[in-house]
């Protein structure tokens, strides 16, 4: 699943120059089979339990292939009416599937990183509309808030938007890795006192390390009090809200200005497909719309997707999401997500019953974080867990990843692939147990 290649090994087998003459497609495909396919990391493998596991489902692959075959550029309604209108409809479907109010409307970006960037650009525009023309020079610095568990894409958005990393406040979290709202309030008040301009707060529903969920409703209260843009990053976990019993975890997200959810993470749609839902699309248009003569078309009251972000050219991503939703049906999608959560709960139970393996975070969804705690200092345990991770991944065919929580090295099992079954999670657990035995025995 993870190729045993060293850096540069694939490149060394590729010609340095392109062919002058046309090559036979059969030969190209032979090379693909020989050189490319064995040397990618197979995220579609059911034993892939690292990062946030994903799925290229059959219907999603068909949608992706048809989009490539059609090769439309959905920059304007006129340049592909069906691509534009399907994107709007499929985002409306997703919004309804998640139980969100009808005033949200969406569009599709490649990634959550771009969705959050676009949302924070809109937050900046709402707070300082003149910056669009004049830039930020001379104005009081604008500040943005998120927890110390938020994804690094938020940091990157501040870098990119010229707001500056120094103006992103990473607020502390509680023992379940959820944003501390009192600390958030203190930070906002301190910044106001210092003459800075708080403009936005990012709440995370499903953090990258532990899948913790910030207290979104309390964050929404504070955002309303101070006129902050509320962006909810639900890139991974948002899909779980299609299950009504999991929706309470997201309480308050209906008050957001923007929400990002990645069907390419946990809705069985091949990468890339990230939906940005916004309360008021006019805020995006005010931020981004700029129409040169050569892009003017006659229609009124149509959506031109280019108005909603930075990019002009746009892939027809809605097709694969439409196909996935239809081919699984809501019932099928819910069953898959529930199955993953059940597998994760089972694994959490085994960990909780083990005297020397500690679960280090709650398991609200399908990701389990744990740590082996053999006798020794916390630093020695960190080193032991690093070795354990290497042992498990070397044994395969499973692939786990790691993170740090409360400063300590922890292993993560993220269940999100449609084809992952109990046997794969059992196998990973067996490898963990065998790894601890081997390491205890001294190698
Ligand atoms: N937000 C969260 C909570 C994530 O976990 C991730 C990636 O895992 C991202 C954002 C970034 O996602 P993308 O790769 O779509 O930019």
């Amino acid at each position: 699943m993870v190729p045993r290649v060293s850096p540069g090994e694939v490149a060394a087998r590729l010609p340095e120059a392109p062919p002058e003459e046309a090559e036979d497609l059969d030969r190209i495909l032979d090379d693909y089979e020989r050189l490319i396919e064995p040397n990618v990391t197979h995220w579609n493998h059911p034993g892939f339990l690292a990062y946030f596991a994903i799925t290229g489902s059959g219907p999603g692959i068909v949608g992706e292939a048809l989009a490539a075959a059609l090769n439309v550029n959905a920059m304007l309604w006129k340049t592909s009416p069906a691509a534009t209108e399907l994107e709007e409809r499929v985002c409306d479907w997703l919004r309804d599937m998640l139980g969100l109010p009808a005033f949200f409307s969406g569009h599709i970006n490649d990634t959550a990183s771009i969705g959050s960037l676009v949302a924070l650009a809109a937050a900046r525009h709402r707070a300082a509309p003149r910056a669009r023309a004049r830039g930020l020079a001379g104005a009081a610095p604008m500040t943005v808030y998120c927890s110390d568990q938020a994804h690094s894409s938020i940091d990157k958005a501040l870098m990119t938007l010229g707001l500056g990393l120094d103006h992103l406040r990473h607020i502390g979290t509680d023992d379940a890795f959820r944003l501390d709202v009192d600390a958030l309030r203190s930070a906002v008040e301190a910044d106001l006192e210092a003459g800075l301009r708080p403009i936005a707060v990012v709440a995370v529903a499903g953090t990258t390390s532990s899948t913790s969920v910030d207290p979104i409703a309390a964050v929404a209260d504070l955002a309303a009090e101070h006129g902050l843009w509320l962006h909810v990053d639900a890139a991974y976990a948002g899909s779980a809200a299609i299950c009504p019993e999991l929706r309470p975890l997201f309480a308050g997200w209906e008050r957001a200005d923007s929400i990002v959810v990645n069907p390419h993470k946990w809705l069985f749609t091949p990468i890339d497909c990230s939906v940005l839902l916004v309360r008021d699309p006019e805020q995006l248009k005010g931020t981004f719309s700029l129409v040169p003569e050569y892009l003017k078309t006659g229609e009124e009251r149509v959506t031109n997707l280019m108005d909603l972000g930075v990019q002009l050219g746009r892939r027809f991503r809605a097709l694969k999401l439409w196909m996935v939703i239809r081919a699984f049906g809501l019932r099928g999608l819910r069953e898959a997500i529930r199955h993953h959560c059940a597998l994760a709960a089972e694994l959490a139970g085994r960990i909780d019953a083990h005297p020397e393996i500690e679960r280090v975070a709650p398991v609200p969804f399908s990701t389990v974080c744990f740590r082996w705690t053999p006798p020794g200092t916390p630093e020695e345990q960190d080193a032991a867990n690093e070795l354990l991770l290497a042992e498990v991944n070397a044994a395969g065919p499973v692939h786990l990843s790691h993170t740090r929580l409360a400063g300590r090295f922890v292993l993560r099992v993220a269940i999100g692939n449609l084809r992952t079954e109990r046997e794969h999670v059992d196998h990973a657990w067996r490898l963990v147990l065998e790894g601890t035995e081997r390491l205890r025995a001294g190698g």
Side-chain angles (χ1 to χ4, degrees):
M1 171 192 349
V2 180
R4 298 187 195 281
V5 283
S6 310
E9 216 175 300
V10 174
R13 292 168 66 193
L14 293 167
E16 282 184 14
E20 184 65 34
E21 301 300 334
E23 292 190 69
D24 195 53
L25 191 59
D26 283 343
R27 203 168 148 223
I28 302 170
L29 288 174
D30 281 349
D31 284 347
Y32 162 80
E33 281 185 11
R34 193 176 48 81
L35 190 58
I36 306 301
E37 202 173 293
N39 288 320
V40 298
T41 299
H42 286 277
W43 286 66
N44 269 341
H45 192 290
F48 188 97
L49 304 167
Y51 311 107
F52 283 127
I54 57 176
T55 309
S57 65
I61 293 167
V62 172
E64 189 73 280
L66 288 176
L70 286 173
N71 197 30
V72 296
N73 184 337
M75 58 193 192
L76 300 164
W77 179 86
K78 180 112 183 167
T79 64
S80 189
T84 303
E85 294 184 14
L86 186 66
E87 184 156 327
E88 292 184 295
R89 181 54 50 91
V90 96
C91 289
D92 287 352
W93 279 8
L94 184 68
R95 172 202 65 208
D96 294 347
M97 287 159 64
L98 302 177
L100 284 163
F103 53 71
F104 280 105
S105 62
H107 72 278
I108 306 181
N109 292 295
D110 52 0
T111 58
S113 301
I114 296 301
S116 292
L117 173 73
V118 165
L120 289 172
R124 188 188 70 176
H125 180 70
R126 190 174 77 178
R130 291 197 311 187
R132 184 180 151 121
R134 297 188 187 169
L136 297 173
M142 293 183 244
T143 49
V144 176
Y145 305 80
C146 63
S147 89
D148 56 19
Q149 299 296 308
H151 190 264
S152 56
S153 53
I154 306 304
D155 304 56
K156 281 197 173 182
L158 265 83
M159 286 157 56
T160 309
L161 292 169
L163 298 174
L165 278 179
D166 288 353
H167 299 118
L168 179 60
R169 309 289 184 234
H170 286 113
I171 308 298
T173 44
D174 64 13
D175 56 5
F177 309 105
R178 296 169 301 202
L179 184 143
D180 174 344
V181 181
D182 289 336
L184 173 64
R185 174 178 297 281
S186 304
V188 170
E189 286 171 1
D191 283 337
L192 283 170
E193 196 130 311
L196 306 179
R197 292 193 63 193
I199 61 161
V201 56
V202 180
V204 188
T207 55
T208 312
S209 283
S210 73
T211 74
S212 60
V213 181
D214 289 334
I216 305 174
V219 175
D221 286 343
L222 195 87
E225 195 182 314
H226 289 283
L228 308 179
W229 181 285
L230 173 59
H231 176 59
V232 174
D233 179 355
Y236 151 71
S239 298
I242 67 170
C243 302
E245 72 277 15
L246 293 172
R247 258 181 224 156
L249 287 165
F250 299 85
W253 72 336
E254 69 284 354
R255 293 165 63 194
D257 293 286
S258 53
I259 301 173
V260 70
V261 178
N262 279 11
H264 80 224
K265 286 204 196 303
W266 203 12
L267 214 57
F268 319 118
T269 307
I271 191 165
D272 54 358
C273 186
S274 175
V275 173
L276 180 67
L277 295 164
V278 293
R279 172 177 290 267
D280 178 8
E282 290 307 314
Q283 299 283 352
L284 295 187
K285 290 183 196 155
T287 309
F288 290 111
S289 183
L290 185 74
V291 188
E293 186 56 37
Y294 44 83
L295 292 175
K296 287 188 178 144
T297 57
E299 303 75 27
E300 284 169 17
R301 288 191 299 280
V302 295
T303 296
N304 291 316
L305 290 166
M306 71 163 187
D307 289 338
L308 305 179
V310 180
Q311 68 185 93
L312 174 61
R314 187 173 285 272
R315 283 170 15 79
F316 189 0
R317 297 189 186 91
L319 197 53
K320 57 186 170 182
L321 182 54
W322 183 61
M323 292 203 171
V324 167
I325 294 172
R326 292 189 61 189
F328 283 81
L330 262 169
R331 188 200 310 271
L333 294 170
R334 286 192 195 112
E335 274 170 11
I337 284 181
R338 285 177 181 140
H339 183 48
H340 290 162
C341 292
L343 292 176
E346 226 173 272
L347 176 63
R350 288 171 167 189
I351 290 169
D352 291 347
H354 193 285
E356 246 187 25
I357 299 182
E358 176 191 17
R359 187 163 54 80
V360 293
V363 180
F365 304 108
S366 66
T367 300
V368 186
C369 294
F370 60 96
R371 170 177 165 81
W372 180 32
T373 55
T377 65
E379 291 71 25
E380 285 164 348
Q381 291 176 342
D382 284 349
N385 279 278
E386 274 192 61
L387 289 174
L388 178 59
L389 178 63
E391 288 266 327
V392 170
N393 286 344
V398 299
H399 190 55
L400 313 187
S401 60
H402 81 279
T403 189
R404 272 187 189 269
L405 285 171
R408 303 270 66 102
F409 190 98
V410 305
L411 278 62
R412 282 170 85 260
V413 169
I415 301 164
N417 188 287
L418 204 52
R419 298 170 194 95
T420 298
E421 288 299 340
R422 180 168 293 114
E423 70 197 74
H424 305 102
V425 183
D426 283 355
H427 182 60
W429 178 239
R430 213 167 26 248
L431 292 182
V432 167
L433 296 180
E434 288 169 8
T436 60
E437 292 309 322
R438 240 191 331 274
L439 290 169
R440 194 196 310 280

